[in-house]
Amino acid sequence: MAKTKTDKASASKKAARPRKVGAPAVPKTVGAPTAPKAKTPKLPKGVASAIRAARDRKAVDIVVLDLRKAGGFTDYFVICTGTNPRQIHAIADAVNATLRSDLGERPALAEGANRSEWILLDYFDFVVHVFSRECRTFYDLE
């Protein structure tokens, strides 16, 4: 039996039924436990900018340590790794330039730029550590 134009039109009308108002577009699964979403802590603007600048320069293994409960001399450590001395220096320069241009912040202390194995940028509220792989493994700050 061959379908005519009227048969095709009536078939498409049946398939495109409007859904009821208030009905979910996707059926919910019953009985499946839903895990609560883990809250990611909101980082200060300076820390977030430092992370962004390090990522832009292809830093690897970026870690932020929250030290506020420890009652130390700073609130956060931003730790990242560069693969070679030139990249380590570029990461530190990018963090410094980004924080200076975006937030007007300058490091109170910058150490290690001579050797480019571990560059430390101290911004009082947070400290940025840019390590070589060997140096990061040796000091193991995490």
Side-chain angles (χ1 to χ4, degrees):
M1 180 168 144
K3 289 190 176 186
T4 62
K5 288 184 180 178
T6 57
D7 289 341
K8 288 181 182 177
S10 65
S12 67
K13 285 181 184 176
K14 289 179 184 176
R17 290 183 187 161
R19 65 181 180 93
K20 294 179 183 176
V21 176
V26 178
K28 286 187 175 181
T29 56
V30 179
T34 57
K37 291 183 180 180
K39 289 186 177 182
T40 55
K42 186 168 181 167
L43 297 172
K45 288 181 183 179
V47 174
S49 294
I51 293 168
R52 201 173 320 107
R55 279 189 186 148
D56 288 347
R57 293 289 182 242
K58 308 289 190 244
V60 294
D61 301 329
I62 301 172
V63 175
V64 176
L65 299 179
D66 186 350
L67 304 173
R68 292 176 294 182
K69 291 183 181 176
F73 57 92
T74 190
D75 293 340
Y76 295 95
F77 272 180
V78 178
I79 304 170
C80 62
T81 304
T83 56
N84 59 55
R86 182 177 284 182
Q87 185 188 21
I88 292 168
H89 211 322
I91 293 167
D93 286 346
V95 169
N96 193 4
T98 299
L99 290 173
R100 185 175 293 172
S101 66
D102 292 355
L103 303 174
E105 291 192 34
R106 294 175 184 235
L109 178 69
E111 289 188 12
N114 304 0
R115 298 186 56 176
S116 294
E117 290 180 358
W118 177 11
I119 298 178
L120 179 139
L121 302 170
D122 186 354
Y123 289 94
F124 289 120
D125 293 337
F126 61 97
V127 177
V128 178
H129 299 272
V130 185
F131 283 107
S132 67
R133 289 188 191 279
E134 298 80 24
C135 210
R136 185 169 179 171
T137 303
F138 180 79
Y139 287 106
D140 193 25
L141 292 180
E142 293 106 312

